Every structure is written in structure tokens, then in C-alpha cells.
């Protein structure tokens, strides 16, 4: 058994307090698995008086001093946000501490700076907990699939929005009503913007794309639409074509590089992701040799996230004991990120039209003018209640959007009742 | 870039030929990910004339000479079976080669001997491909969940039997008919014994239990029943209670140690494993902090299995480049394996009975005599066509079996129409 490795914990909220609990309860197992005991040596918090679960002598408000202490080997960060965390972690890395972080926003905005600092200092930077909580995902992408060629990652990576969409699907509720229920049940925060507008999912998409395609991708590279515009009519329209609506993080290897986007999309109910309900997360990975894989579990919550943090902590501690370092960042491929307008997608479009001769021909030619072919079209209702429902084949997103714009201006179109991208159809898989 | 690492491949069948293809097609990517090129330096096969895809000068029939060659760094084994593979891999490890194997039978029967040899030589022994093909599973269990406490693993780990049971469920076919279809479609081998009788799944269960519970478990420790006795009546009975039948590999941490078993079981259709159809594999993992996780994908086939082999090859090659070694075997917990009779399970029992006063009371007291409480009971039909369908609460398996034996001897029981264990009910989760 080697000497104890000393751990500094930055932040002690929902996740941090679970990390403290697990470090204590699993101490013997962790020591046996690492070959050295882990010892909690300090916990940086804003208001020490609030933290009764942590021995008072471990608490400090001076995170900077904690991460530079000579006796600290490993730093765990569960504060979140960009600053002051970036500076703290840079200091920690520069002082030779290995870092485990659950900070998706920081890793997605500026992972490169941290990775470079870790490489320079010869220490580890691990962050499994940053994406999809307890679900082992980054390690499988980075290591298990290291001999394969990942072509596509489709993920439900935000529990709040998945809960809202699942409720809208199950009950026919509108977005506002489902959001209110999510808030009441504690699935949505008081300010749900980061979740509902897709910022959280976009951070995770950037991290996933970076690992999957060995390319640096930041949150600014990710095309993003939230679920605030998803209506009960969209849900009904999805159901009518055997689909449901999910907020998807989509990372694709394309001929032109990589495409990374977050938006609501209709997916067939037969797709494995369609059955992922409530606040669960799941990530569907397509690789050339491995075929289709799916990873499913709890994407958030104190204990599940702490489980992922502890797994990383064991890994970096083992590396420390053996004097080695994990694989580090792999960005050798350095692929360009394709603008959203050029990414090929498929659209579902429901148009309320005046049911008069030639309408279908006019609609079809609007699509044809933009070089888009239509896969299916059906008319619902007659007369003033007529709706044309179309699903296109794949085409550049900009062309699809332009077509819908053109159509919306036509006299015979009363309104575009539902416009949404479609993913996961058999032809795409 | 370090010097090339030289790879010896043992076996070049369905999986091996895909390994050869991927080593060639992904050469640049693999080199970038490892920090050194991989070079295929020799391929041991029985009949070199059969292998046109491999440069003739690489082929040899002398595997022993190949794995002892000084210029070989890494050995990949995709032959399968116990001997001569065990001797070959022992020789390779003793000569300082790191080993990647897809050999579930060998790892499950005698992994300890190989692990000890690897540890002694300071080299790696990886075998992700041995369980559930392309699905990253061993690495997540061993590393991602290393800071958590796994309580239960429920897996569909044999594609052949899952195909057969899925067909029986979908079409009402009997076992023989579904097996014939599986054979015709190439999902079952000419001699399907290893799959149908659960030997293949038992090897995988032993490997999973060993990793999940840090304890040495061999295939001889695994209680095993195949699917040959599953009838169309069982399927119908399962359907009537909202269940389907799956061949499950079940690894549990119990108060008395670990329990490892493979048998057909009814699981609720709402359970995530129930939807895993065709020849797909999926493994459901329950951990104290992480909660429920599921891993899903292709469990067999040349390319998927080769993907897992290549992932391991990248890992051991990286370790070689950095002069380190992976985590190795972790068997510190050394828990006893509980005999099947003591393992608590739940039974579904359908009894064809003569419908006369007092029958239910007699049945209930037979269970009570063995200390088993009944969760639900319902009677189907009347008179000579009466069937009592019971689901018990958890009780020791031996007591449940003894009760069914006792009941079968009762005059009022015409026959036990269906007896099967039940898993994955909400109360167990």
C-alpha cells in the first residue's frame, strides 16, 4: 500500500457532499482499488458555517491557498461556471495536482487551455461527470472505441428538457404547463434558461464531439435551439407519424468535417432513444465497426454525479501511484466544424393550406426549386381545415429553412403549423 | 512519434480478419491515438493457404514461435477455447508481451492464472471483446464505476438465445421452431449447445461478476440453466402477466457474498432489458450511487468484436509507449460465491389444478410450509381447465424448488404448466 493521496474538494453542494460521503463510506474499497488510501485534506466553500457534514478543520474559504498546498495531490472541482474556477484549476494544474472536474461549461468553453496546462505539468485532467452524470460515456468514447471510427453521436443529455418533453408527449400538455410541473417536482431550476434553451446540452455536445472526433470543439461551435417553441401541435404531429420529440445533441462526422448541433427533433418511436423517459439520459453512438451502441442512465443528481467523480478520482489516483498519466486530450484530427446551414438534415413540415387545386404542385415545386426531394406527403382534412404534412429527404439545412420561409409567404399557406427536423429514421441509420 | 509497436495475431477467422482490416484501414488514426504506429508482424493460423487477405510472408502455423519472437510487443488472441490457447498466452506473457484476448471461455475458466502471469511480467491482459462484443462494458465496470459499489448486474449477453426467445415471443413459436429459424439465418451454430444451454452466457457472467465484485469467479461457480425447456406456454404465461422471457446473466452482491447465475427469467415489459430484441445484447447495472445504468449494442459479429479488440489494443499500446501498465486484476474483496439453493429469487408458477373447494388453501399452505409468501395469485378457467397462476415474494431458491416439487405430487395438481423465476420487478429494483 502506498502513502495516502490527499484530496482537495472545491465546492460542497449537492454533488460535493455526496463525494464527501462516498470518500468516507467506501474508504477501504477505494484504497484497495487504488493501492493507496484517499484522504480528504480540505474543502473550499463560500460559507463554512453551512457545512455540518464536513469536519470544521477541513473547511476553508480560500480555494486558491488550498489548491497550492504542497500536501495536496488531487483536486476535485464541483463548483461549476467559468470563473473563478478556470483560474483555480489552472493554478492547481500548474502546481502539479491532477484534476477531476464535473464542469461541463468550462470544459466546453475552454477545455483546450486546461488540457494544455495538464499536459505541460504532466498531470491528469478527467471529467466524466461533466456529461450525462453517472453514465460512463467519455471513457468508452475515448478508450473503448479508440480503435474504431465513430460516425455519429445522438444524445439525450439534459434531464430537465427530457422530462418536459416526456410529459408533453404523455399528457398532451403545452410547454408552459409541462415546465411548471418540472419546476414543482424539482426537475427544473428556478431559472431554467440553461436547460430549456439548450445551453447545457450544447456544452455536453461540444465535449462529446471533441472526444468522438479527436478535434477541439467549443460550445461556440455548436448550433443550438431550445425547446421553448415546441408546441402541443408539434407533439401531435410527431405522434401522427409514429414519432416523438426529443431534444437531441447531435455530433456527426461529415465529408466536410464535423457537425455539432442541439435542437428538438422528431425521432421514430422504434428508435432506442424514443423510450428514454423522465429525467433519464441516453447516448446513442454509431461507429463503423462497432455498429450502434447505447448508454443509458441517470444524467444528473448528487449521488450519480458523485459516482462518476469518484471513478475518475480512482483513475487519476492509480496513475499517481504508478507514476503514469492517462491518455490526455486527443485533438490530432483537427477537423473543421461545418456551419449549420451546410449540415444535411431532414424536415417535417405541416402546412395549414387552403385546399384548392394545384396546392400540392406549388408546394412540391417550392421544395424542388431548392433542390430538396420529398419523401412522404399526406393531406389531412379538407377545405379550410386542410393540412399538408411533408417529410423531406436529407438536404442542406439552409435550403430547407429557405423553402419553409418561401412557403410561409405563399397565399395558399395559412401558416406553417409545425416545422421540425427529423432524426434517426431507418435510412439515416 | 515512438517506434512502431509490433503485433502478433493468433487466429484469423471472422474476428481476426476484421482486426487485420481495421489495423490497415485505421493505421494513421491508430498511430495518432497511440503515439506510435502499430505494425502487424505475424499471423498464426492453421491453414495459411486459406488466408488470401493477409500478406503470405506474415502467415505462420507456428504460434509458439510467433509469440516468443523478440520483435513482438503485443499479442492479440482470437482463436478461442482453452488449449492450446492458455499455454500460448502464458508463454506470451512470460516473454513480456501484453495480451489482448476475446476468449471468454478461457478467461472465465482460468483467468487467475493469466492475470498472475501478467502481473508477474509487468504487462497487460485486456479482454473487453470477451463479453458482449462491441459494447464497452468491462472498462466501465472496472474503471468508471471504480468509486461506486455495484450491487447487481443483469445482462442479456448471448445473441443466439435472445434471437430465439424474441422470435418465440413475437410469433408464439415453440423452442424447436425458433431454433431452426435461428440456424437458418446464421444466428445459431450447427451445434448450438454452448449458446442454448447457457455455457456461453455463464462464462460471461463469471467475468462480469469478477470485475463487478472484485472477486475471482470462474465458470464453475455459475449456476446455469439453458433455454431448451422454455415452452410456448411459458411465453404465453409471461405475456399474461405483462412480462417477456429472457436468458439472463445475473450477478448479485448479497449479504453472504456474491451470487452468479444464468437462467431464463420472466421480466416486466416495462424493464429496459425487455425491449432488447433480435441478437442484440444489453447489460443493466445497478450501483449504489450511480443508480441504474444500461449498455446496449451488438454482442457478436466480426467487426463489432474487432472494434473491442482494437480499443484494447490501443490501450495496451499506449501503456507500452508510456512505460506503464493498466489496472490489472482486482480481486481484493475475495467474497464467497453463494450456492444457488441459498440465493433468493422469485417464482412464477402456473399449476393446472382440479377446480375443487380448498385447492387454493392447499396451495397456499404448501408455500407457507416452506416459509414463502405469495405476492399474487389468480385463477384462470374453471373445472378441468382451471389453472392457478402464482407469483411469490423473494425466498431461497431451494425452498421455492422444494415447494414446486411438493405441489407437483399433490393429487389436485394435474401438472405444473409453467415454472420460471421472475426478475426485474419494481420491488427488486
Amino acid at each position: 500500500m502506498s502513502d495516502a493521496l490527499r484530496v482537495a474538494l472545491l465546492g460542497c453542494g449537492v454533488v460535493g457532499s455526496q463525494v464527501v460521503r462516498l470518500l468516507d463510506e467506501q474508504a477501504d474499497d477505494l484504497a484497495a482499488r487504488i493501492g493507496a488510501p484517499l484522504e480528504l485534506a480540505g474543502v473550499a466553500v463560500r460559507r463554512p458555517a453551512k457545512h455540518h457534514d464536513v469536519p470544521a478543520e477541513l473547511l476553508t474559504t480560500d480555494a486558491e491557498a488550498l489548491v497550492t498546498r504542497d500536501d495536496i495531490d488531487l483536486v476535485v472541482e464541483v463548483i461549476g461556471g467559468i470563473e473563478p474556477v478556470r483560474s483555480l484549476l489552472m493554478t492547481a494544474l500548474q502546481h502539479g495536482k491532477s484534476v477531476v472536474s464535473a464542469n461541463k461549461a468550462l470544459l466546453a468553453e475552454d477545455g483546450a487551455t486546461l488540457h494544455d496546462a495538464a499536459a505541460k505539468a504532466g498531470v491528469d485532467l478527467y471529467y466524466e461527470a461533466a456529461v450525462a452524470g453517472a453514465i460512463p460515456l467519455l471513457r468508452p468514447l475515448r478508450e473503448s472505441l479508440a480503435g474504431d471510427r465513430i460516425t455519429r453521436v445522438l444524445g439525450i443529455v439534459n434531464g430537465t428538457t427530457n422530462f418536459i418533453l416526456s410529459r408533453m408527449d404523455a399528457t398532451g400538455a403545452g410547454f408552459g404547463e409541462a415546465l411548471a410541473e418540472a419546476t414543482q417536482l424539482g426537475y427544473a431550476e428556478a431559472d431554467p434558461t440553461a436547460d430549456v434553451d439548450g445551453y447545457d446540452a450544447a456544452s455536453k455536445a461540444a465535449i462529446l464531439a471533441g472526444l468522438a472526433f479527436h478535434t477541439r470543439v467549443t460550445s461556440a461551435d455548436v448550433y443550438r435551439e431550445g425547446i421553448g417553441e415546441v408546441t402541443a401541435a408539434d407533439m401531435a404531429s410527431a405522434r401522427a407519424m409514429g414519432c416523438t420529440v426529443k431534444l437531441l445533441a447531435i455530433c456527426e462526422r461529415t465529408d466536410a468535417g464535423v457537425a455539432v448541433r442541439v435542437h428538438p427533433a422528431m425521432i421514430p418511436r422504434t428508435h432506442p432513444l424514443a423510450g428514454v423517459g423522465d429525467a433519464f439520459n441516453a447516448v446513442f453512438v454509431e461507429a463503423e465497426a462497432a455498429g450502434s451502441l447505447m448508454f443509458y442512465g441517470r444524467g444528473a443528481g448528487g449521488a450519480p454525479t458523485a459516482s462518476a467523480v469518484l471513478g475518475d478520482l480512482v483513475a487519476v489516483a492509480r496513475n499517481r501511484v504508478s507514476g503514469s498519466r492517462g491518455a490526455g486530450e486527443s485533438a490530432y484530427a483537427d477537423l473543421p466544424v461545418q456551419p449549420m446551414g451546410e449540415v444535411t438534415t431532414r424536415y417535417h413540415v405541416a402546412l395549414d393550406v387552403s385546399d384548392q387545386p394545384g396546392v400540392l404542385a406549388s408546394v412540391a415545386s417550392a421544395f424542388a426549386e431548392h433542390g430538396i426531394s420529398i419523401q412522404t406527403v399526406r393531406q389531412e382534412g379538407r377545405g379550410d381545415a386542410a393540412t399538408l404534412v411533408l417529410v423531406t429527404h436529407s438536404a442542406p439545412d439552409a435550403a430547407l429553412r429557405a423553402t419553409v420561409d418561401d412557403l410561409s409567404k405563399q397565399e395558399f399557406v395559412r401558416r406553417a403549423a409545425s416545422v421540425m427536423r427529423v432524426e434517426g429514421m431507418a435510412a439515416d441509420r
Side-chain angles (χ1 to χ4, degrees), chain A:
Chain A
M1 197 54 80
S2 303
D3 290 343
L5 292 167
R6 293 169 61 83
V7 178
L9 178 64
L10 308 182
C12 196
V14 176
V15 177
S17 56
Q18 291 295 317
V19 171
V20 171
R21 176 179 73 83
L22 291 171
L23 279 174
D24 179 49
E25 286 179 14
Q26 315 265 43
D28 293 345
D29 282 310
L30 294 170
R33 293 172 195 177
I34 293 165
L38 287 181
E39 195 179 312
L40 187 61
V43 181
V45 295
R46 231 180 306 174
R47 284 181 290 276
K50 273 180 55 191
H51 298 272
H52 307 293
D53 299 352
V54 181
E57 67 275 17
L58 295 185
L59 292 167
T60 173
T61 55
D62 191 346
E64 179 87 16
L66 180 60
V67 302
T68 56
R69 260 168 51 183
D70 283 345
D71 66 316
I72 298 293
D73 301 291
L74 313 168
V75 172
V76 173
E77 183 265 312
V78 289
I79 299 174
I82 309 299
E83 286 295 350
V85 176
R86 175 168 43 197
S87 309
L88 275 174
L89 296 188
M90 288 300 289
T91 304
L93 293 165
Q94 285 154 359
H95 280 74
K97 324 299 186 196
S98 284
V99 168
V100 173
S101 171
N103 193 327
K104 57 196 164 271
L106 175 57
L107 266 302
E109 181 168 309
D110 197 14
T113 303
L114 295 171
H115 278 296
D116 288 346
K120 202 170 158 198
V123 297
D124 285 323
L125 169 67
Y126 279 43
Y127 46 95
E128 178 70 72
V131 182
I135 309 175
L137 195 58
L138 306 196
R139 189 172 277 106
L141 283 182
R142 177 151 57 180
E143 301 181 24
S144 306
L145 291 165
D148 206 333
R149 190 181 175 83
I150 296 171
T151 51
R152 203 146 185 265
V153 179
L154 271 188
I156 296 172
V157 293
N158 181 272
T160 305
T161 48
N162 200 52
F163 178 85
I164 293 170
L165 293 172
S166 298
R167 295 306 293 165
M168 290 175 69
D169 186 34
T171 67
F175 169 75
E177 195 184 329
L179 171 59
E181 188 183 348
T183 310
Q184 199 182 358
L185 292 171
Y187 285 120
E189 296 184 38
D191 176 1
T193 311
D195 295 318
V196 164
D197 289 355
Y199 290 99
D200 174 84
S203 292
K204 293 164 178 171
I207 295 172
L208 289 173
L211 288 170
F213 305 128
H214 303 270
T215 287
R216 284 181 173 173
V217 178
T218 70
S219 32
D221 294 322
V222 182
Y223 175 82
R224 183 190 49 74
E225 282 176 28
I227 64 163
E229 312 284 308
V230 178
T231 63
D234 291 326
M235 276 291 173
S237 215
R239 185 172 301 113
M241 57 182 276
C243 286
T244 187
V245 176
K246 295 290 185 189
L247 180 70
L248 295 181
I250 305 170
C251 313
E252 288 168 311
R253 181 82 170 82
T254 70
D255 291 340
V258 302
V260 194
R261 49 196 166 109
V262 168
H263 56 69
M266 294 183 183
I267 57 169
R269 285 191 189 273
T270 51
H271 193 286
L273 287 175
V276 177
D278 294 336
F280 276 87
N281 280 198
V283 177
F284 195 77
V285 177
E286 293 167 27
E288 207 184 76
S292 299
L293 301 169
M294 192 170 79
F295 304 80
Y296 166 93
R298 294 199 180 277
T305 309
S307 169
V309 167
L310 265 283
D312 277 355
L313 197 53
V314 168
V316 302
R318 276 175 183 164
N319 291 344
R320 201 41 75 132
V321 168
S322 69
S324 64
R325 185 176 173 251
E329 189 192 27
S330 170
Y332 70 89
D334 198 18
L335 298 166
V337 178
Q338 215 177 359
M340 185 62 190
E342 295 172 14
V343 175
T344 61
T345 63
R346 309 176 70 180
Y347 270 43
H348 159 277
V349 183
L351 299 172
D352 291 346
V353 294
S354 22
D355 180 18
Q356 58 193 49
V359 164
L360 181 55
S362 307
V363 169
S365 38
F367 279 97
E369 271 165 36
H370 290 277
I372 297 161
S373 73
I374 293 169
Q375 186 188 19
T376 61
V377 60
R378 71 170 197 277
Q379 178 168 339
E380 288 170 0
R382 299 295 306 264
D384 274 357
T387 301
L388 276 185
V389 181
L390 303 106
V391 178
T392 73
H393 281 294
S394 291
D397 197 74
L400 287 158
R401 266 187 286 182
T403 310
V404 173
D405 282 352
D406 286 358
L407 282 168
S408 303
K409 290 175 202 144
Q410 300 290 322
E411 217 173 308
F412 57 85
V413 172
R414 287 177 292 117
R415 67 182 188 116
S418 171
V419 178
M420 195 174 285
R421 297 183 187 88
V422 182
E423 296 290 333
M425 302 288 272
D428 301 336
R429 277 188 256 167

